Amino acid sequence: IAMVRSMKVSDKGLYYLSLGRARAENLRSIDITFCRNTTYGGTFPLRDRLYNLEVIRRQPEWLDGQFETPFGADQDQVECHTYWADGTFSFNRGSESSGHVCDLFEHKEGSDHLGDKLQYINFNPPPGWPIWSKFCYRPGVSLLRIPDEVRDGQVVRSVLVAQSFFATRAPTDHPRIDQLEFVGLGESRCFREDGKICPRDSDDEKKSVMVSRMRVRPLPPGGLMPPNHL
């Protein structure tokens, strides 16, 4: 069952959808991508009651997978960010490493330029922050789908990811497709507010946003949903 972009679907509606023997026996897939009146927590009754359910989708398929980031290469372990169909994520780092996408939206309806907000389950507020901030610190990035390309006989899927240096919200003007000229696969580059690229290895005071191009490897077969411990 698909309800993509419906603003009439709510968590209460998901609860009612979870009721009934026929639904429990027959529902295999539920797609509530861009249904912004629903929440991650609102899907729990579906998980608990629909015992034949195989996937709850809260994001486009091109966001499923293992994102190979440019981060951590100097420490001999490149960060890998894994996202499942329901928006659950896990990063291979020590902190701020797991949680879920609590909001996902299109900067322009029908486009592949998206923004998100992340809710960590292991965020520790820095000194001076109130303890309750761990529940409402929700940083966001913007993403742009890049057309697949063939390299060495393999189809390579990649995404441009932009994050602001000065705000936790997802940037609205980045990333842009023309930035591919400057950002290679597995690289990050910094840009100023006016769109000009910053020189490499420089501490440019005017840098505004960092744009990375990440290869996305597919999830293993049958692995669209996260493991139970997450």
Side-chain angles (χ1 to χ4, degrees):
I1 182 172
M3 298 171 278
V4 178
R5 293 189 182 88
S6 175
M7 298 304 292
K8 296 181 179 180
V9 181
S10 64
D11 284 354
K12 187 175 183 179
L14 296 182
Y15 170 77
Y16 285 122
L17 183 63
S18 74
L19 303 178
R21 180 178 176 180
R23 290 169 181 161
E25 292 178 347
N26 296 299
L27 275 178
R28 299 291 193 275
S29 173
I30 297 175
D31 190 344
I32 51 173
T33 301
F34 304 132
C35 293
R36 298 184 69 191
N37 287 326
T38 65
T39 66
Y40 183 81
T43 66
F44 291 172
L46 302 174
R47 304 168 194 259
D48 294 339
R49 294 189 172 96
L50 304 182
Y51 47 80
N52 284 324
L53 190 63
E54 297 173 359
V55 60
I56 300 172
R57 177 163 296 286
R58 299 179 58 249
Q59 63 181 27
E61 292 184 13
W62 59 270
L63 288 179
D64 301 348
Q66 299 173 326
F67 286 63
E68 296 179 348
T69 79
F71 317 130
D74 56 343
Q75 301 173 7
D76 298 325
Q77 183 180 5
V78 174
E79 273 191 28
C80 182
H81 296 181
T82 303
Y83 288 84
W84 288 271
D86 68 343
T88 302
F89 64 79
S90 178
F91 306 160
N92 64 334
R93 62 189 189 196
S95 62
E96 298 179 37
S97 60
S98 57
H100 63 272
V101 178
C102 61
D103 192 16
L104 181 69
F105 51 92
E106 299 165 297
H107 287 297
K108 182 179 179 181
E109 185 172 331
S111 75
D112 286 332
H113 184 207
L114 311 181
D116 69 13
K117 293 180 182 177
L118 305 183
Q119 176 68 67
Y120 294 106
I121 60 173
N122 60 346
F123 168 68
N124 295 312
W129 286 36
I131 189 64
W132 49 260
S133 64
K134 69 189 301 180
F135 303 110
C136 56
Y137 173 66
R138 297 174 174 178
V141 299
S142 284
L143 310 105
L144 181 65
R145 184 182 185 182
I146 301 302
D148 293 347
E149 59 183 3
V150 177
R151 295 192 178 196
D152 299 325
Q154 293 186 329
V155 176
V156 175
R157 178 161 54 111
S158 66
V159 173
L160 282 180
V161 182
Q163 59 189 94
S164 172
F165 285 109
F166 305 110
T168 58
R169 293 182 178 179
T172 58
D173 298 328
H174 300 273
R176 301 194 310 263
I177 193 67
D178 63 327
Q179 291 170 332
L180 279 176
E181 178 183 352
F182 307 103
V183 186
L185 189 65
E187 292 184 343
S188 293
R189 295 297 304 269
C190 297
F191 292 83
R192 299 175 180 176
E193 186 65 32
D194 60 7
K196 294 181 179 179
I197 192 169
C198 300
R200 291 184 184 272
D201 303 320
S202 70
D203 188 16
D204 192 329
E205 295 181 353
K206 294 183 179 180
K207 65 183 180 182
S208 174
V209 65
M210 179 173 68
V211 176
S212 306
R213 186 180 180 189
M214 304 182 188
R215 181 171 184 172
V216 186
R217 297 188 183 273
L219 295 169
L224 286 178
M225 294 294 285
N228 289 334
H229 70 272
L230 292 175

